Amino acid sequence: MHDDKIILGFETSCDETAIAIMKGDELLVNTISSQIDIHEKFGGVVPEVASRAHAEMIRNIFHSSLNNANLQISDIDIVSTTDGPGLVGSLVVGYNFAKSIAWSINKPFFTVDHMVGHLAAPLIENNTMKPPFITLLVSGGHTQIVFVEEWGSYQLLGTTIDDAAGEAFDKLSRFCGFGFPGGPAIQKIGEGGDPAKIELPRPKTKHAYNYSFSGLKTAATNFLNNLDIDDKVTRADFAASYQEAIVDSLLSNFVKAVKDTGVKSISGGGGVMANSRLREKMNIFAEEKELNIYLPTPKLSTDNAAMICVAAQNNLITNDMNIDDVRLNSIIT
Ligand code: KG4
Ligand code: ZN
């Protein structure tokens, strides 16, 4: 697919300062410095605090990443970074740092749409993933079904009309005091719970492939507000039932899109794809329908910079490189 050039990637769109270095297909370093501890007390990411933390950390993380890969800055052949979507102040830190490096060593500089990064993430560990395929991209800000006919051709089939799937986890978790970020917190609390214990809606929209999660979130909070003192509902049952409703909703539109298009390969990405119940149900669907399935590992589903490296590498096949930005095709957001 590509040669053994050394590519440096940056991802600072939200609350992770992430830097990766790849040599061809080999992931040399995948540094992810999370700001969860900093934002936890606020119950969500505070944009100004996030950009400040990126600015404070990025230089040290860059140097330790180079050291861990046993490389000098002059060994880098290509520099890539996320340029959005995300928190502007956070993006600017990574973008400017990455571009300065590219300028200083006079090497090509690529910017990558964050969601294209998530889309490309399965390639980090398995470069056999090939279009055509349909992918389910589920993060804190996006919920998208994307048809990838060929590399660079991304057709948005469905999206959320209100909250993203990750947002639905995060907001309910904050309401219940379950912890931050909400997805992993709800997954953990729900372990051993009965996913069928509480009847929650599986919201539908007019458009067959679009999503809506705000009604589900309201139904769950109403359920809690109306609980009777005698009701025998555990935290585990509640969390498992809420998770199940999100996973079922995600799957139903996705399955329809796969059936309608007749593709033989499916994929996924974004933080919510780290969810074990979602992964289990995606795998069962693929097995039943004999589809190829490409999922990034949970660690590579959440934000990381290796996904930015592989997205940029794919673009290298078709674009001339120069010091000016070469922006990869962006999914409509
Ligand atoms: O892609 P990501 O790391 O950052 C954004 O681009 O937003 O996704 C973060 C989202 C958060 O909403 C978080 O709660 C959710 O992914 N998440 C999960 C899990 N791990 C992270 N949701 C459900 N189950 C998980 N295990
Ligand atoms: Zn993301």
Side-chain angles (χ1 to χ4, degrees):
M1 185 188 291
H2 42 74
D3 52 32
D4 273 354
K5 290 209 165 104
I6 294 180
I7 180 161
L8 172 68
F10 290 84
E11 160 55 55
T12 64
S13 64
C14 193
D15 61 339
E16 268 99 18
T17 316
I19 296 180
I21 304 174
M22 291 186 78
K23 182 174 184 189
D25 286 339
E26 190 188 351
L27 180 57
L28 301 180
V29 174
N30 187 29
T31 316
I32 304 168
S33 170
S34 169
Q35 302 173 7
I36 285 178
D37 294 352
I38 304 173
H39 299 287
E40 206 165 19
K41 56 178 173 290
F42 303 109
V45 178
V46 182
E48 168 61 21
V49 175
S51 42
R52 206 170 268 265
H54 284 303
E56 283 165 2
M57 314 261 312
I58 198 162
R59 195 162 170 273
N60 282 346
I61 294 175
F62 173 61
H63 286 297
S64 65
S65 299
L66 268 186
N67 280 343
N68 292 341
N70 248 327
L71 294 172
Q72 307 289 323
I73 189 166
S74 53
D75 294 325
I76 305 292
D77 296 307
I78 300 153
V79 182
S80 59
T81 190
T82 313
D83 68 343
L87 304 173
V88 171
S90 294
L91 286 163
V92 161
V93 175
Y95 182 95
N96 285 341
F97 194 90
K99 190 157 190 173
S100 310
I101 303 262
W103 271 95
S104 69
I105 55 177
N106 197 28
K107 291 289 163 66
F109 175 61
F110 283 77
T111 59
V112 176
D113 185 289
H114 180 75
M115 297 312 288
V116 174
H118 278 308
L119 185 152
L123 291 169
I124 302 166
E125 290 182 322
N126 182 353
N127 68 11
T128 63
M129 180 172 81
K130 277 191 184 52
F133 62 87
I134 289 191
T135 185
L136 179 62
L137 301 180
V138 276
S139 68
H142 294 81
T143 305
Q144 302 178 323
I145 300 176
V146 180
F147 176 44
V148 182
E149 198 170 7
E150 55 187 74
W151 288 125
S153 158
Y154 309 124
Q155 194 187 339
L156 185 71
L157 300 182
T159 185
T160 180
I161 59 167
D162 42 53
D163 288 344
E167 213 176 344
F169 276 114
D170 294 339
K171 285 181 174 170
L172 189 85
S173 187
R174 188 163 51 206
F175 179 80
C176 298
F178 283 169
F180 168 81
I186 289 178
Q187 178 180 315
K188 182 122 202 24
I189 291 169
E191 278 167 15
D194 177 359
K197 181 82 180 185
I198 299 156
E199 217 172 287
L200 290 169
R202 272 61 174 160
K204 295 265 177 254
T205 62
K206 275 192 197 151
H207 187 299
Y209 305 136
N210 277 350
Y211 291 108
S212 167
F213 290 104
S214 69
L216 168 62
K217 191 186 60 198
T218 308
T221 50
N222 284 346
F223 172 84
L224 287 181
N225 288 333
N226 296 327
L227 260 187
D228 244 345
I229 196 94
D230 308 323
D231 285 338
K232 301 246 175 317
V233 175
T234 64
R235 275 159 51 105
D237 290 341
F238 177 72
S241 300
Y242 187 69
Q243 173 179 267
E244 196 73 0
I246 293 180
V247 169
D248 280 354
S249 302
L250 287 172
L251 254 294
S252 75
N253 292 9
F254 183 71
V255 164
K256 181 165 171 40
V258 171
K259 286 184 179 158
D260 290 350
T261 50
V263 289
K264 295 280 170 262
S265 301
I266 61 170
S267 164
V272 180
M273 201 44 79
N275 184 269
S276 50
R277 186 69 174 144
L278 178 59
R279 300 175 75 84
E280 186 188 348
K281 287 201 156 183
M282 289 276 284
N283 278 309
I284 292 171
F285 169 58
E287 205 179 314
E288 279 173 4
K289 299 292 169 206
E290 297 182 357
L291 304 169
N292 304 312
I293 178 163
Y294 304 96
L295 296 183
T297 57
K299 191 175 175 198
L300 296 172
S301 299
T302 48
D303 287 352
N304 66 84
M307 68 187 197
I308 303 307
C309 291
V310 287
Q313 282 173 327
N314 271 288
N315 201 45
L316 299 186
I317 323 162
T318 51
N319 282 285
D320 288 339
M321 296 179 286
N322 59 56
I323 192 71
D324 295 325
D325 294 16
V326 181
R327 198 173 195 289
L328 298 189
N329 277 350
S330 166
I331 297 173
I332 311 151
T333 52

